Amino acid sequence: MPCTGHLDTPGPLAPNAPMEPTVNIFQTEGPTNDPTNQPWPGPPAQPETPAPSPPRETWAGKYDFLLSCLGYCVGLGNVWRFPYLCYRNGGGVFLIPYFIMLLVTGLPLFLMELSLGQYGAAGPITVWKCCPLLRGVGVAMLIVSSLVSLYYNVIIAWAFYYLGSSFRSPLPWSCDAPNNRDHCQNASASASWVSASELFWKDRVLGVTHSSGLGDPGPVRWPLALCLLAAWTLLFLCLLKGIRSSGKVVYFTATFPYLVILILIVRGATLDGSLDGVHFYLSSDWSRLQSAQVWSDAASQIFYSLGIGFGGLLSMASYNRFDNNVIRDTLVITIGNCCTSFFAGFAIFSVLGHMAWKRQVPVGSVVDSGGGSGTGTRAGLCLGTSRCPVFGNIEGITTAVLDEFPALRSWRRKTALLGVLCVSFFLLGLLLVTQGGIFWFTLIDTYSTGFGLIVVALFMCLGVAFCYGVDQFCQDIVDMICRCPPWCSRLLGYFKLCWIFFTPCLLLFTLIYTFLDMYSKPLRYGSYKFPAWGTSLGVCMGVLTCLQIPLGAALALGRESGTLSDRFQKATQPLHSWRTATARDVAGDVIDVPFTITLTGSDFTAPPPGGTEA
């Protein structure tokens, strides 16, 4: 500690008077034999502290976080799954349960995940310092995020393959292509007509026609493997400098999908029969509202489209400023995301109308499965919308690891960690680009985000509402917003009611219906029925996710002492390191004065009566 200024307060000296002895209360000169007047040994030696880890990053720009979350949410759930669910559940009437589920389930859970990350400034695992009993919820989030990342980049590989093939003339999925001319001529008169684009998709892209099923993956399709390698390489480069680089990338990746959707809508509007598809999209079959499946599909779609329970939202919010208005961001992102789903529906249904016109069948009969919503349109939408969700998932995984091991935050070690993750996911993803890879893709896609994801969200909601305390959580949000507008306070009352009752009840309903649906309908890909061992393997993926919650709770209880009741009470209390009122705490209760104060003998002598001190 640099110091050495001296504050001397000598008394007045008489002319030719000898110098008065001085007494230094911090140090004495010369030895003394008086045991009561031993020299002050000085301040105790400070223990050696390890070098501090690099500080936690924050978003560089004002809109980096908003665009990152919007890009993370806007993906294939909006432009692929949402139109298919509308198609399956009676057209535009599906919008009614969809927006109801958004208000009762999507908005509350989205706000909860953002608020947890922003207040705790930590990733999916470390943030549960607020309630150590639920630390397993964070681990479960990482498992879901890892499984989704494993197959999501395969979709990017498909899109890259289509992008490269689109430079060929004629297009290889058109009837003008040499390989398709005979097929189109012979199949046009057949009742089971297969389009050239579907033939290209199954034979040239996937190679699934050469595989007998899940147990016969066959060799790796190396063109797809190279596309998968390019996808992971691009992801590595975009995340190389953390959120500082990915925060700039999203200015393109979060806005580009809207340009793609607009182009596809304009293109679809020029196709014959497109208005029939749009009419089907906006029509309403009110009787479908009596079906529980419609409401279950609406609830599950909210999860997929908003990215709830994956840990990506929580991780991105952890890089926010403490006083960021999280309620405003929640409203902007969720409403913008759902409007994107509605907007993208016009692109898909205009193509469906054209397909129905070509086949001379009703729009409601043109597609028999979720994979038939127009192969070429799906490829364009994949390329435009699949980038950012993978950003969020990988960012969530790296954030969780770096928070648990802060020593890895240096640029070199973080780069090594990111490289290991990308290489590992690429090698594991090679199974999904074999000739039978589409069967494994379907299996992971179905069960990785099935009942396990709903269980994660349910325990997150119950844990924050009843273990951490919903009143304390609402107060944390008010503390972050600082100057909370009146409308924010009123909204918090609504969210509080949802967290306590409505959201857990709807999650429980969705979970029960998911189990019933899973056991009543066997998993299929087209006409292929998955074997029992494949279904069991998929169920194990969901069970693996769910097991992390009781395992984490058991470890938390084991670290405490006392009776089971005492252990439970201690395990639900926030740790001392939990970020409580960061913006309000005043650091440093000790005043460190870097001076040596030297006093003279006159400072110990009482002043004469009526006199004044010098």
Side-chain angles (χ1 to χ4, degrees):
M1 180 174 62
C3 66
T4 70
H6 291 273
L7 180 61
D8 297 323
T9 57
L13 299 177
N16 300 324
M19 182 70 70
E20 295 184 3
T22 63
V23 179
N24 190 329
I25 65 172
F26 293 101
Q27 58 185 356
T28 59
E29 298 182 5
T32 175
N33 296 325
D34 187 357
T36 63
N37 191 22
Q38 292 298 324
W40 183 59
Q46 297 294 329
E48 294 184 3
T49 57
S53 58
R56 187 181 182 83
E57 296 177 294
T58 56
W59 295 106
K62 182 178 180 181
Y63 300 106
D64 290 7
F65 171 69
L66 272 176
L67 289 176
S68 294
C69 284
L70 190 61
Y72 173 71
C73 296
V74 175
L76 296 182
N78 303 80
V79 299
W80 190 342
R81 195 170 187 272
F82 175 80
Y84 168 63
L85 291 179
C86 284
Y87 182 88
R88 190 175 75 174
N89 293 302
V93 73
F94 181 73
L95 297 174
I96 296 176
Y98 178 72
F99 281 104
I100 291 177
M101 289 297 180
L102 169 67
L103 294 175
V104 182
T105 304
L107 277 171
L109 290 177
F110 197 92
L111 176 62
M112 176 177 285
E113 197 163 340
L114 289 191
S115 301
L116 267 179
Q118 182 172 310
Y119 191 84
I125 298 179
T126 310
V127 78
W128 289 105
K129 289 179 179 180
C130 67
C131 182
L133 187 71
L134 296 176
R135 185 180 175 90
V137 173
V139 180
M141 286 180 173
L142 293 188
I143 292 179
V144 174
S145 190
S146 299
L147 290 173
V148 171
S149 300
L150 179 63
Y151 76 82
Y152 219 102
N153 248 14
V154 175
I155 303 175
I156 304 294
W158 296 342
F160 282 171
Y161 189 89
Y162 268 92
L163 179 64
S165 301
S166 65
F167 290 100
R168 298 169 58 184
S169 180
L171 292 175
W173 54 82
S174 67
C175 285
D176 296 330
N179 295 335
N180 298 332
R181 288 173 184 170
D182 294 338
H183 170 77
C184 291
Q185 293 174 358
N186 297 331
S188 58
S190 175
S192 58
W193 179 68
V194 178
S195 65
S197 61
E198 188 173 354
L199 183 65
F200 176 80
W201 165 249
K202 291 183 176 180
D203 187 49
R204 301 287 299 280
V205 179
L206 301 179
V208 67
T209 55
H210 305 289
S211 174
S212 60
L214 194 66
D216 179 28
V220 173
R221 297 186 63 81
W222 291 110
L224 275 184
L226 292 177
C227 292
L228 182 63
L229 178 62
W232 281 111
T233 302
L234 180 61
L235 181 73
F236 174 79
L237 295 176
C238 290
L239 296 178
L240 189 58
K241 294 186 178 180
I243 62 170
R244 295 282 175 168
S245 59
S246 63
K248 296 297 181 288
V249 172
V250 295
Y251 279 86
F252 171 76
T253 57
T255 56
F256 181 65
Y258 294 95
L259 177 61
V260 174
I261 295 173
L262 180 61
I263 293 173
L264 292 174
I265 287 178
V266 174
R267 170 57 180 160
T270 64
L271 298 175
D272 295 326
S274 60
L275 289 180
D276 294 335
V278 173
H279 180 267
F280 181 88
Y281 178 44
L282 299 179
S283 63
S284 299
D285 182 4
W286 299 101
S287 63
R288 300 302 298 271
L289 291 178
Q290 301 175 5
S291 171
Q293 181 183 6
V294 175
W295 295 89
S296 177
D297 285 347
S300 62
Q301 175 59 21
I302 288 295
F303 275 91
Y304 301 137
S305 63
L306 293 180
I308 297 171
F310 294 91
L313 294 172
L314 199 150
S315 298
M316 289 187 288
S318 69
Y319 298 108
N320 272 341
R321 292 180 293 108
F322 182 77
D323 58 349
N324 179 63
N325 192 332
V326 69
I327 296 181
R328 176 203 61 201
D329 290 351
T330 297
L331 294 177
V332 171
I333 296 168
T334 54
I335 294 176
N337 172 75
C338 292
C339 289
T340 302
S341 297
F342 179 72
F343 186 52
F346 290 96
I348 294 294
F349 276 90
S350 61
V351 176
L352 288 178
H354 176 66
M355 293 171 61
W357 176 82
K358 290 183 65 176
R359 298 189 182 187
Q360 297 298 310
V361 295
V363 177
S365 304
V366 72
V367 176
D368 295 326
S369 67
S373 300
T375 304
T377 304
R378 285 203 316 269
L381 291 173
C382 288
L383 184 60
T385 61
S386 298
R387 192 74 254 153
C388 281
V390 188
F391 284 171
N393 289 336
I394 299 299
E395 189 66 54
I397 297 171
T398 55
T399 298
V401 175
L402 295 179
D403 285 344
E404 290 297 304
F405 306 98
L408 298 177
R409 286 181 181 169
S410 64
W411 185 84
R412 181 174 298 178
R413 294 178 179 178
K414 184 178 179 180
T415 302
L417 171 64
L418 182 62
V420 169
L421 284 176
C422 291
V423 171
S424 300
F425 280 122
F426 166 71
L427 295 177
L428 292 173
L430 289 177
L431 175 63
L432 307 183
V433 293
T434 58
Q435 292 177 346
I438 188 62
F439 300 116
W440 289 95
F441 177 94
T442 304
L443 185 71
I444 299 175
D445 178 36
T446 302
Y447 289 101
S448 63
T449 55
F451 65 89
L453 181 62
I454 301 174
V455 169
V456 168
L458 179 62
F459 274 88
M460 179 180 70
C461 184
L462 294 176
V464 172
F466 296 102
C467 294
Y468 182 65
V470 69
D471 292 328
Q472 179 61 51
F473 188 64
C474 290
Q475 183 60 48
D476 293 345
I477 296 176
V478 172
D479 291 340
M480 287 190 292
I481 298 178
C482 295
R483 298 177 182 178
C484 187
W487 64 270
C488 285
S489 300
R490 288 191 289 269
L491 274 180
L492 273 180
Y494 164 74
F495 287 129
K496 181 178 178 180
L497 184 62
C498 289
W499 290 328
I500 293 175
F501 180 72
F502 290 112
T503 303
C505 288
L506 282 175
L507 288 175
L508 193 59
F509 157 75
T510 306
L511 181 63
I512 294 173
Y513 192 85
T514 300
F515 280 124
L516 294 177
D517 187 65
M518 183 173 61
Y519 285 102
S520 62
K521 296 180 181 178
L523 182 62
R524 292 180 179 273
Y525 175 77
S527 60
Y528 174 75
K529 181 180 177 180
F530 280 72
W533 67 268
T535 304
S536 301
L537 183 60
V539 172
C540 289
M541 296 181 194
V543 172
L544 177 65
T545 301
C546 298
L547 278 179
Q548 307 309 311
I549 300 175
L551 288 177
L555 290 175
L557 293 174
R559 283 193 291 263
E560 305 297 341
S561 59
T563 64
L564 182 61
S565 177
D566 293 338
R567 291 172 182 240
F568 184 85
Q569 185 176 5
K570 293 176 182 178
T572 55
Q573 297 299 316
L575 300 180
H576 293 297
S577 55
W578 170 241
R579 181 179 176 178
T580 52
T582 301
R584 295 165 290 155
D585 289 346
V586 179
D589 296 327
V590 179
I591 301 176
D592 190 6
V593 181
F595 292 100
T596 299
I597 303 176
T598 304
L599 304 177
T600 64
S602 61
D603 294 302
F604 299 93
T605 305
T612 59
E613 287 188 84

